[in-house]
């Protein structure tokens, strides 16, 4: 990769990592489900009028929109609102690579190699250490919600792989149209119309800024730049940069939110990131054939993240914050 392309890949990882800190700030302005609905509304409009028509069947757009937009982001935002730290959330969500591999085995019959199985075991050890660390400092229920969000992300990655969208940015924009009404409906039912109206009446510059960041910077710019890189380089070259997301996520949370990074959490980060790297490793035979690694997301948005398909290569999925 050219130095400029490397810099762009690092920038996208930084954008997706800092996104968790921005989400934490946004949760001080909005109820979690309303915040998630606004995020997808702003990501879809006006972009949906600027991109082309969907290039995949609507059933895939609806399925990914519900699994990724409603389930994954709904659980993530609720978990963070319930006390899950932003930096730790950026780290724990990386376990989605393990859930992606398990879902691919269950639904696509893709048997993981021994190296990938070892990577999943190492990553799970990292999540276990993170759970022990969080159990001494915060609510384990919130931790479990973020793990459940990672599981939904893994399933959505497999759905995206089955959809194989030729244009990941257009696909993500149309996917963003699906969660808006379900999330608004769930917000009215569970968070209450009075709480939602109070949040909208109290909207200020910071509130607008966080919505614009998670919608346009994280989603539109992040996935657009990631897709641009994947059109010019093999997915196996671009994908490892997604492992920088929790680095930026934990660093920005410590810097701007004052979140502590205990030695146990640092060890959990090493194990989880290392395990994800092994889980995402492409076998030699596949590399020789030019195949991409298995689907995983950083994000991704979020990886995204925010989880759109990584490129025209059907064997890889982009990460979602």
């Amino acid at each position: 990769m050219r130095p400029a392309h490397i810099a762009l890949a690092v920038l996208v990882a930084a954008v997706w990592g800092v996104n968790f800190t921005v989400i934490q700030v946004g949760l001080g302005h909005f109820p979690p489900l309303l915040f998630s609905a606004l995020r997808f509304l702003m990501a879809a409009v006006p972009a949906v009028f600027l991109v082309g028509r969907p290039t995949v069947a609507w059933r895939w757009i609806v399925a990914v929109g519900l699994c990724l937009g409603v389930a994954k982001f709904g659980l993530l935002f609720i978990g963070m609102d319930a006390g899950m730290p932003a930096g730790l959330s950026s780290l724990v969500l990386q376990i989605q690579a393990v859930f992606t591999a398990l879902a691919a085995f269950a639904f696509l019959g893709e048997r993981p190699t021994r190296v990938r199985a070892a990577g999943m075991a190492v990553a799970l050890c990292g999540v276990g250490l993170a759970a022990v660390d969080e159990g001494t400092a915060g609510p384990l229920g919130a931790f479990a919600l973020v793990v459940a969000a990672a599981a939904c992300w893994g399933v959505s990655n497999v759905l995206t792989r089955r959809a194989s969208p030729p244009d990941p940015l257009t696909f993500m924009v149309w996917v963003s149209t699906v969660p808006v009404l379900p999330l608004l409906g769930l917000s009215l039912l569970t968070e209450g119309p009075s709480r939602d109206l109070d949040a909208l009446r109290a909207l200020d510059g910071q509130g607008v800024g966080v919505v614009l960041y998670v919608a346009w910077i994280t989603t539109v710019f992040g996935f657009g730049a990631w897709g641009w890189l994947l059109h010019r380089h093999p997915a196996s070259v671009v994908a490892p940069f997604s492992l920088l997301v929790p680095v930026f996520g934990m660093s920005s949370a410590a810097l701007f939110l004052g979140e502590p990074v205990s030695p146990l959490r640092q060890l959990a980060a090493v194990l989880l990131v290392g395990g994800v790297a092994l889980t995402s490793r492409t076998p030699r035979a596949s590399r020789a054939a030019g195949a991409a690694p298995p689907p995983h997301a950083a994000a991704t948005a979020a990886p995204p993240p925010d989880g759109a398909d990584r490129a025209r290569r059907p064997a890889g999925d982009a990460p979602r914050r």
Side-chain angles (χ1 to χ4, degrees):
M1 293 179 68
R2 297 177 181 176
H5 295 184
I6 293 174
L8 181 60
V10 173
L11 176 61
V12 173
V15 163
W16 284 338
V18 173
N19 183 55
F20 290 88
T21 296
V22 176
I23 290 172
Q24 193 69 67
V25 174
L27 289 171
H29 292 264
F30 309 100
L33 292 176
L34 175 63
F35 185 21
S36 189
L38 292 175
R39 171 261 173 92
F40 282 107
L41 176 63
M42 294 302 296
V45 181
V48 72
F49 300 109
L50 304 177
V51 300
R53 294 177 60 84
T55 52
V56 300
W58 272 101
R59 67 179 183 275
W60 297 117
I61 293 174
V62 172
V64 174
L66 293 176
C67 190
L68 178 73
V70 178
K72 183 257 182 174
F73 279 102
L75 290 169
L76 173 64
F77 280 37
I78 292 173
M80 292 181 65
D81 187 61
M84 183 67 169
L88 187 59
S89 296
S90 72
L91 174 65
V92 170
L93 269 184
Q94 297 307 309
I95 199 67
Q96 58 79 26
V98 174
F99 287 116
T100 298
L102 293 175
F105 173 70
F107 300 113
L108 303 180
E110 296 182 358
R111 187 176 298 276
T113 64
R114 291 182 179 179
V115 172
R116 287 177 181 162
M120 286 189 279
V122 172
L124 289 172
C125 288
V127 169
L129 281 181
V132 170
D133 183 64
E134 181 63 11
T136 64
L140 279 178
F143 185 96
L145 287 172
V146 175
V147 173
C152 294
W153 193 358
V155 173
S156 73
N157 284 337
V158 173
L159 291 171
T160 301
R161 177 170 180 175
R162 289 294 301 273
S164 298
D167 185 345
L169 179 60
T170 297
F171 179 72
M172 190 61 202
V173 169
W174 282 102
V175 163
S176 296
T177 66
V178 175
V180 177
L181 291 180
L183 285 170
L184 282 175
L186 288 171
S187 178
L188 290 173
L189 287 174
T190 61
E191 295 165 345
S194 60
R195 187 181 175 192
D196 288 350
L197 287 174
D198 288 344
L200 293 175
R201 290 193 188 102
L203 188 63
D204 56 13
Q206 188 181 63
V208 172
V210 295
V211 172
L212 293 180
Y213 184 94
V214 298
W216 291 355
I217 305 300
T218 300
T219 304
V220 178
F221 167 75
F223 280 104
W226 196 258
W228 185 87
L229 287 169
L230 285 162
H231 279 295
R232 287 157 178 79
H233 304 282
S236 57
V237 173
V238 179
F241 285 94
S242 67
L243 297 177
L244 294 174
V245 171
V247 176
F248 286 108
M250 296 179 75
S251 300
S252 63
L255 180 63
F256 297 110
L257 302 178
E259 290 185 4
V261 183
S262 67
L264 190 60
R265 191 169 297 184
Q266 293 176 22
L267 178 58
V270 171
L271 289 175
L272 206 157
V273 173
V276 168
L278 289 174
T279 303
S280 307
R281 186 172 179 268
T282 305
R284 290 183 181 180
S286 298
R287 288 199 299 266
H296 69 89
T300 199
D306 308 316
D309 188 2
R310 289 203 297 212
R312 300 179 186 272
R313 312 168 190 271
D317 300 290
R320 282 324 205 137
R321 313 314 142 285

